[in-house]
Amino acid sequence: MNPLIVPHALLLSLALFAIGVVGVFLRRNIITVFMCVELMLNAVNLAFIAFSRSWGNLDGQVLVFFVLTVAAAEAAVGLAIIISIHRHKDTLDVDAFNIMKW
Amino acid sequence: MSLPLFHAILFYMFAAVAVGAALAMVVQRNPTYSAFALIVSLVSLAGIFGLLGSPFIAALQIVVYAGAIMVLFLFVLMLLNVKEELRVAGEGRVSKLVAIALGAVLAGEVGSVLVAVRTPVAAAFDASARAVALLLFEKHYLYVFEATSILILASLVGAIALAKRDPSP
């Protein structure tokens, strides 16, 4: 394998994570914000896989497996919360969601 | 063409597609288009996982992420009949600039660490489904695995309870 692929995969994961962060700040639709969070989770998965390949250690793969499971659970609960909020507020704009503001 | 060169070309192609689709997702105002862009990004990430010698995780990525989770997102988008994000008059350039500046600062910080990190390439690497499953089920991850099944069950019950219509208004 080309030895440059691992460091470049790490840089790719950094780029994807930064794009996800900017998206969370930039977008106001809550579902898009949620998708940006998923992108950040994937960037971290890529870093796990790259380090796993780099050190020949399979624990990174197992961690990615658990991140996938947690992401699936998080998506199910998060989307249920979004549906329930949409029923009360009739909008998906994050600026409108301030019911927990004290 | 030698195999390493072919791998490198595939890698940079997948990387370019992943970054391009992620950027398209962020600048897009219509959430449905964002979801499709994210699917493209996730599938090209699966290709990169495969190139990094992890076929099992690559398959999981396509089945669980690009398949199940993104279908759930699209299902909710269709269910709620989401329109394009409205342009607000007071939506200033300042907040956008601050967002991009914060992202750039984060990228600079982590990037300065990442270029310094040592990344050897392990000679022997076997991340087949068999090797990962042996580690997952035989060594010390068995109880963690069982705990995640309880987590999935809890999130299933929670999602149903949250999205259910209130019986009494």
Side-chain angles (χ1 to χ4, degrees):
Chain A
M1 198 183 80
N2 194 325
L4 270 179
I5 282 186
V6 170
H8 287 181
L10 288 175
L11 288 180
L12 173 65
S13 111
L14 167 66
L16 290 177
F17 193 89
I19 291 173
V21 169
V22 171
V24 167
F25 288 136
L26 217 54
R27 290 270 73 96
R28 289 199 323 279
N29 185 305
I30 190 163
I31 297 185
T32 317
V33 171
F34 205 34
M35 288 194 285
C36 291
V37 174
E38 299 288 331
L39 181 68
M40 284 151 75
L41 282 171
N42 262 279
V44 173
N45 280 353
L46 177 58
F48 271 132
I49 294 284
F51 279 123
S52 161
R53 179 69 188 85
S54 174
W55 297 97
N57 190 336
L58 282 186
D59 291 274
Q61 314 260 334
V62 175
L63 277 174
V64 170
F65 180 83
F66 288 131
V67 170
L68 275 173
T69 339
V70 172
E74 171 235 348
V77 175
L79 289 170
I81 293 176
I82 290 173
I83 289 178
S84 142
I85 292 181
H86 184 264
R87 198 169 284 150
H88 289 283
K89 289 270 185 185
D90 216 28
T91 176
L92 285 175
D93 195 325
V94 280
D95 294 337
F97 300 154
N98 53 7
I99 33 179
M100 284 182 79
K101 210 186 238 173
W102 188 50
Chain B
M1 198 191 309
S2 64
L3 200 58
L5 181 64
F6 184 57
H7 275 194
I9 291 173
L10 272 183
F11 175 82
Y12 293 113
M13 205 182 72
F14 278 133
V17 172
V19 169
L23 280 175
M25 176 189 89
V26 168
V27 299
Q28 183 59 245
R29 278 182 181 270
N30 189 329
T32 313
Y33 295 159
S34 292
F36 281 111
L38 182 57
I39 292 175
V40 172
S41 185
L42 295 180
V43 170
S44 38
L45 267 182
I48 288 179
F49 290 167
L51 286 177
L52 284 167
S54 317
F56 175 58
I57 298 294
L60 271 189
Q61 169 90 358
I62 290 184
V63 171
V64 176
Y65 247 114
I69 296 183
M70 289 319 292
V71 167
L72 194 61
F73 269 90
L74 280 172
F75 181 73
V76 171
L77 282 170
M78 304 289 168
L79 184 74
L80 299 183
N81 192 16
V82 182
K83 305 277 182 339
E84 253 184 49
E85 214 173 81
L86 292 174
R87 285 165 207 272
V88 181
E91 183 187 30
R93 279 175 193 287
V94 183
S95 60
K96 276 184 188 169
L97 281 179
V98 169
I100 291 167
L102 276 172
V105 167
L106 177 84
E109 280 176 353
V110 184
S112 61
V113 175
L114 279 187
V115 292
V117 81
R118 206 159 51 88
T119 49
V121 175
F125 187 69
D126 173 27
S128 59
R130 178 187 153 80
V132 178
L134 279 178
L135 182 63
L136 187 59
F137 293 116
E138 270 199 345
K139 305 252 171 73
H140 29 269
Y141 285 112
L142 182 59
Y143 294 107
V144 189
F145 180 78
E146 297 294 341
T148 53
S149 61
I150 297 174
L151 173 78
I152 291 278
L153 179 65
S155 77
L156 180 70
V157 175
I160 293 173
L162 278 168
K164 194 179 56 158
R165 206 173 279 278
D166 241 349
S168 56

